[in-house]
Protein backbone atom coordinates (compact mmCIF):
# COMPACT_ATOMS: atom_id res chain seq x y z
CA UNK A 1 0.00 0.00 0.00
CA UNK A 2 0.92 3.65 0.41
CA UNK A 3 3.04 3.13 3.53
CA UNK A 4 5.03 0.42 1.74
CA UNK A 5 5.86 2.91 -0.99
CA UNK A 6 6.97 5.47 1.58
CA UNK A 7 9.27 2.90 3.19
CA UNK A 8 10.71 1.92 -0.20
CA UNK A 9 11.40 5.55 -1.08
CA UNK A 10 13.07 6.18 2.28
CA UNK A 11 15.30 3.14 1.87
CA UNK A 12 16.23 4.28 -1.66
CA UNK A 13 17.11 7.71 -0.26
CA UNK A 14 19.32 6.13 2.40
CA UNK A 15 21.11 4.26 -0.40
CA UNK A 16 21.77 7.64 -2.05
CA UNK A 17 19.22 7.10 -4.81
CA UNK A 18 21.33 4.32 -6.26
CA UNK A 19 20.17 2.85 -9.56
CA UNK A 20 21.82 -0.51 -8.89
CA UNK A 21 19.93 -0.80 -5.60
CA UNK A 22 16.66 -0.50 -7.54
CA UNK A 23 17.75 -3.26 -9.91
CA UNK A 24 18.81 -5.55 -7.08
CA UNK A 25 15.44 -5.10 -5.37
CA UNK A 26 13.34 -5.33 -8.57
CA UNK A 27 12.18 -1.70 -8.31
CA UNK A 28 11.51 0.44 -11.38
CA UNK A 29 14.22 3.11 -11.34
CA UNK A 30 12.41 5.55 -13.62
CA UNK A 31 9.30 5.42 -11.43
CA UNK A 32 11.44 6.17 -8.37
CA UNK A 33 13.17 9.01 -10.20
CA UNK A 34 9.77 10.49 -11.08
CA UNK A 35 8.66 10.19 -7.44
CA UNK A 36 11.80 12.06 -6.39
CA UNK A 37 11.01 14.88 -8.80
CA UNK A 38 7.43 15.14 -7.55
CA UNK A 39 8.63 15.16 -3.94
CA UNK A 40 11.06 17.96 -4.71
CA UNK A 41 8.28 20.02 -6.27
CA UNK A 42 6.06 19.49 -3.22
CA UNK A 43 8.96 20.36 -0.91
CA UNK A 44 9.51 23.65 -2.75
CA UNK A 45 5.82 24.50 -2.36
CA UNK A 46 5.97 23.75 1.36
CA UNK A 47 9.17 25.77 1.78
CA UNK A 48 7.52 28.80 0.18
CA UNK A 49 4.71 28.47 2.73
CA UNK A 50 7.02 28.06 5.71
CA UNK A 51 6.41 24.33 6.10
CA UNK A 52 8.84 21.43 6.27
CA UNK A 53 8.83 17.67 5.64
CA UNK A 54 9.54 15.41 8.60
CA UNK A 55 11.59 12.29 8.06
CA UNK A 56 9.25 9.36 7.63
CA UNK A 57 11.41 6.44 8.74
CA UNK A 58 13.28 6.77 12.01
CA UNK A 59 15.96 4.46 13.33
CA UNK A 60 18.49 2.38 11.45
CA UNK A 61 16.37 -0.66 10.66
CA UNK A 62 13.61 1.05 8.72
CA UNK A 63 11.07 0.65 11.49
CA UNK A 64 8.88 3.76 11.57
CA UNK A 65 7.16 4.55 14.83
CA UNK A 66 3.46 3.93 15.13
CA UNK A 67 2.65 7.64 15.42
CA UNK A 68 4.45 8.40 12.16
CA UNK A 69 2.55 5.67 10.29
CA UNK A 70 -0.78 6.75 11.72
CA UNK A 71 -0.16 10.39 10.80
CA UNK A 72 0.74 9.34 7.26
CA UNK A 73 -2.40 7.23 6.97
CA UNK A 74 -4.54 10.11 8.23
CA UNK A 75 -3.08 12.36 5.53
CA UNK A 76 -3.65 9.70 2.86
CA UNK A 77 -7.23 9.18 4.09
CA UNK A 78 -7.96 12.91 3.90
CA UNK A 79 -6.51 13.09 0.37
CA UNK A 80 -8.36 10.03 -0.98
CA UNK A 81 -11.54 10.22 1.10
CA UNK A 82 -13.56 10.15 -2.13
CA UNK A 83 -12.19 6.62 -2.64
CA UNK A 84 -13.27 5.31 0.74
CA UNK A 85 -14.73 1.81 0.73
CA UNK A 86 -16.27 -0.39 3.41
CA UNK A 87 -15.94 -4.16 3.58
CA UNK A 88 -19.16 -6.03 2.87
CA UNK A 89 -17.85 -9.50 3.60
CA UNK A 90 -14.64 -11.48 3.91
CA UNK A 91 -13.80 -14.14 1.40
CA UNK A 92 -15.22 -14.84 -2.03
CA UNK A 93 -18.56 -13.87 -3.49
CA UNK A 94 -20.10 -11.83 -0.70
CA UNK A 95 -19.61 -13.91 2.41
CA UNK A 96 -21.62 -12.43 5.28
CA UNK A 97 -19.32 -13.82 7.97
CA UNK A 98 -17.05 -10.89 8.77
CA UNK A 99 -15.05 -13.06 11.16
CA UNK A 100 -14.21 -15.60 8.46
CA UNK A 101 -10.59 -16.09 7.39
CA UNK A 102 -9.33 -13.14 5.38
CA UNK A 103 -9.15 -13.47 1.64
CA UNK A 104 -9.40 -10.17 -0.15
CA UNK A 105 -12.89 -9.17 0.88
CA UNK A 106 -15.57 -7.37 -1.10
CA UNK A 107 -15.89 -3.61 -0.67
CA UNK A 108 -18.55 -1.07 -1.48
CA UNK A 109 -17.24 2.42 -2.32
CA UNK A 110 -18.98 5.11 -0.30
CA UNK A 111 -19.43 7.33 -3.35
CA UNK A 112 -21.09 4.51 -5.32
CA UNK A 113 -23.63 2.34 -3.55
CA UNK A 114 -24.01 0.04 -6.55
CA UNK A 115 -20.47 -0.98 -7.52
CA UNK A 116 -18.38 -3.52 -5.68
CA UNK A 117 -14.60 -3.77 -5.68
CA UNK A 118 -12.13 -6.33 -4.39
CA UNK A 119 -8.61 -6.02 -3.05
CA UNK A 120 -6.20 -7.33 -5.65
CA UNK A 121 -4.37 -10.55 -4.65
CA UNK A 122 -1.03 -8.77 -5.18
CA UNK A 123 -1.87 -6.27 -2.43
CA UNK A 124 -0.52 -6.72 1.10
CA UNK A 125 -4.05 -6.03 2.37
CA UNK A 126 -5.46 -9.07 0.55
CA UNK A 127 -4.61 -11.30 3.51
CA UNK A 128 -5.95 -8.76 6.03
CA UNK A 129 -9.20 -7.40 4.55
CA UNK A 130 -9.62 -4.43 6.92
CA UNK A 131 -13.08 -3.00 7.51
CA UNK A 132 -12.33 0.41 5.97
CA UNK A 133 -9.88 1.29 3.20
CA UNK A 134 -8.97 4.15 0.89
CA UNK A 135 -7.45 3.41 -2.49
CA UNK A 136 -5.68 5.44 -5.16
CA UNK A 137 -5.59 2.93 -7.99
CA UNK A 138 -8.14 0.52 -9.40
CA UNK A 139 -8.09 -1.89 -12.30
CA UNK A 140 -10.80 -3.76 -14.17
CA UNK A 141 -10.45 -7.28 -15.55
CA UNK A 142 -13.26 -9.77 -15.15
CA UNK A 143 -13.87 -8.00 -11.81
CA UNK A 144 -13.08 -4.59 -10.31
CA UNK A 145 -9.95 -4.60 -8.16
CA UNK A 146 -8.14 -2.01 -6.06
CA UNK A 147 -4.36 -2.31 -5.87
CA UNK A 148 -2.82 0.63 -4.02
CA UNK A 149 -4.85 0.80 -0.82
CA UNK A 150 -4.44 1.53 2.88
CA UNK A 151 -6.37 0.46 5.94
CA UNK A 152 -7.96 3.39 7.77
CA UNK A 153 -10.33 4.17 10.61
CA UNK A 154 -13.78 5.48 9.89
CA UNK A 155 -13.47 8.48 12.24
CA UNK A 156 -10.61 9.78 10.08
CA UNK A 157 -12.98 10.40 7.15
CA UNK A 158 -16.47 10.63 8.65
CA UNK A 159 -16.41 14.45 8.61
CA UNK A 160 -15.24 14.48 4.97
CA UNK A 161 -17.65 11.94 3.47
CA UNK A 162 -20.70 14.26 3.44
CA UNK A 163 -18.85 16.33 0.84
CA UNK A 164 -19.42 13.54 -1.66
CA UNK A 165 -23.17 14.14 -1.60
CA UNK A 166 -23.33 17.82 -0.61
CA UNK A 167 -21.13 19.15 -3.39
CA UNK A 168 -22.74 21.20 -6.16
CA UNK A 169 -21.76 19.55 -9.43
CA UNK A 170 -22.81 22.54 -11.52
CA UNK A 171 -20.82 24.90 -9.32
CA UNK A 172 -17.74 22.72 -9.66
CA UNK A 173 -18.19 22.52 -13.43
CA UNK A 174 -18.86 26.25 -13.77
CA UNK A 175 -21.92 25.59 -15.91
CA UNK A 176 -25.09 23.50 -16.01
CA UNK A 177 -24.75 19.75 -16.40
CA UNK A 178 -26.50 19.94 -19.77
CA UNK A 179 -23.97 22.52 -20.98
CA UNK A 180 -21.14 20.39 -19.63
CA UNK A 181 -22.52 17.37 -21.48
CA UNK A 182 -22.76 19.33 -24.72
CA UNK A 183 -19.27 20.72 -24.25
CA UNK A 184 -17.91 17.23 -23.65
CA UNK A 185 -19.58 15.95 -26.83
CA UNK A 186 -18.15 18.83 -28.86
CA UNK A 187 -14.67 18.30 -27.44
CA UNK A 188 -14.90 14.61 -28.26
CA UNK A 189 -15.94 15.42 -31.85
CA UNK A 190 -13.06 17.85 -32.16
CA UNK A 191 -10.65 15.26 -30.82
CA UNK A 192 -11.89 12.66 -33.31
CA UNK A 193 -11.58 15.22 -36.11
CA UNK A 194 -8.03 16.07 -35.08
CA UNK A 195 -7.07 12.40 -34.95
CA UNK A 196 -8.56 11.83 -38.41
CA UNK A 197 -6.61 14.78 -39.80
CA UNK A 198 -3.43 13.48 -38.21
CA UNK A 199 -3.99 10.06 -39.75
CA UNK A 200 -4.56 11.62 -43.18
CA UNK A 201 -1.39 13.67 -42.81
CA UNK A 202 0.59 10.58 -41.86
CA UNK A 203 -0.78 8.69 -44.88
CA UNK A 204 0.09 11.62 -47.14
CA UNK A 205 3.62 11.84 -45.78
CA UNK A 206 4.02 8.09 -46.17
CA UNK A 207 2.99 8.29 -49.82
CA UNK A 208 5.38 11.19 -50.50
CA UNK A 209 8.21 9.33 -48.80
CA UNK A 210 7.42 6.19 -50.79
CA UNK A 211 7.37 8.17 -54.05
CA UNK A 212 10.67 9.84 -53.23
CA UNK A 213 12.16 6.48 -52.35
CA UNK A 214 10.98 5.05 -55.67
CA UNK A 215 12.41 8.03 -57.59
CA UNK A 216 15.74 7.65 -55.82
CA UNK A 217 15.81 3.94 -56.57
CA UNK A 218 15.14 4.63 -60.26
CA UNK A 219 17.89 7.27 -60.37
CA UNK A 220 20.35 4.90 -58.72
CA UNK A 221 19.44 2.10 -61.13
CA UNK A 222 19.84 4.43 -64.12
CA UNK A 223 23.23 5.60 -62.85
CA UNK A 224 24.42 2.01 -62.43
CA UNK A 225 23.21 1.12 -65.93
CA UNK A 226 25.05 4.08 -67.51
CA UNK A 227 28.19 3.23 -65.56
CA UNK A 228 28.12 -0.34 -66.83
CA UNK A 229 27.50 0.92 -70.38
CA UNK A 230 30.46 3.26 -70.21
CA UNK A 231 32.64 0.48 -68.83
CA UNK A 232 31.72 -1.86 -71.71
CA UNK A 233 32.36 0.92 -74.28
CA UNK A 234 35.77 1.53 -72.76
CA UNK A 235 36.66 -2.17 -72.93
CA UNK A 236 35.58 -2.41 -76.61
CA UNK A 237 37.49 0.74 -77.50
Amino acid sequence: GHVTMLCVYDMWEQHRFNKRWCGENYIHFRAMKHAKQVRQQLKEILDRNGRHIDKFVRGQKYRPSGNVIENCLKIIASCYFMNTARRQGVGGEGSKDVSAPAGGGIYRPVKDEISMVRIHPSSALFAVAPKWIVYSQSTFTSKAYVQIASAIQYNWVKDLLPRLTDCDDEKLAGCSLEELKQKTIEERKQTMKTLAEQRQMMVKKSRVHKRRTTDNQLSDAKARYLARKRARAAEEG
Side-chain angles (χ1 to χ4, degrees), residues 128-147:
V128 180
K131 187 173 183 179
W132 289 91
I133 63 170
V134 292
Y135 59 92
S136 57
Q137 181 174 326
S138 58
T139 183
F140 296 88
T141 55
S142 58
K143 299 176 182 178
Y145 289 101
V146 295
Q147 290 179 302

Side-chain angles (χ1 to χ4, degrees), residues 91-177:
E93 306 306 326
S95 170
K96 300 299 183 182
D97 184 5
V98 296
S99 63
I106 299 175
Y107 290 80
R108 174 173 292 171
V110 175
K111 67 179 180 181
D112 187 352
E113 293 295 329
I114 300 176
S115 302
M116 291 290 188
V117 296
R118 293 167 170 78
I119 296 179
H120 197 272
S122 63
S123 172
L125 293 181
F126 181 78
V128 180
K131 187 173 183 179
W132 289 91
I133 63 170
V134 292
Y135 59 92
S136 57
Q137 181 174 326
S138 58
T139 183
F140 296 88
T141 55
S142 58
K143 299 176 182 178
Y145 289 101
V146 295
Q147 290 179 302
I148 304 177
S150 293
I152 65 167
Q153 297 179 22
Y154 174 68
N155 59 356
W156 296 350
V157 296
K158 67 179 182 180
D159 294 332
L160 299 172
L161 294 180
R163 298 184 184 181
L164 297 176
T165 54
D166 296 344
C167 65
D168 188 336
D169 294 335
E170 294 188 350
K171 185 177 180 180
L172 290 173
C175 60
S176 67
L177 295 182

Side-chain angles (χ1 to χ4, degrees), residues 2-30:
H2 302 95
V3 175
T4 301
M5 292 184 175
L6 287 171
C7 288
V8 170
Y9 183 89
D10 193 86
M11 294 177 69
W12 183 49
E13 182 179 13
Q14 296 203 25
H15 283 83
R16 300 181 179 180
F17 307 109
N18 188 276
K19 184 176 181 179
R20 178 178 294 181
W21 181 86
C22 289
E24 292 174 349
N25 291 277
Y26 306 100
I27 296 172
H28 199 290
F29 175 72
R30 289 186 180 180

Side-chain angles (χ1 to χ4, degrees), residues 202-227:
M202 291 178 63
V203 171
K204 184 177 180 180
K205 288 182 177 180
S206 177
R207 290 174 179 174
V208 172
H209 177 72
K210 185 177 181 180
R211 184 168 60 251
R212 288 177 179 175
T213 302
T214 303
D215 293 342
N216 292 335
Q217 290 174 346
L218 289 173
S219 298
D220 292 342
K222 185 177 180 179
R224 290 193 297 270
Y225 169 76
L226 293 175

Side-chain angles (χ1 to χ4, degrees), residues 45 73 93 109 184 205:
I45 294 173
L73 289 175
E93 306 306 326
T184 302
K205 288 182 177 180

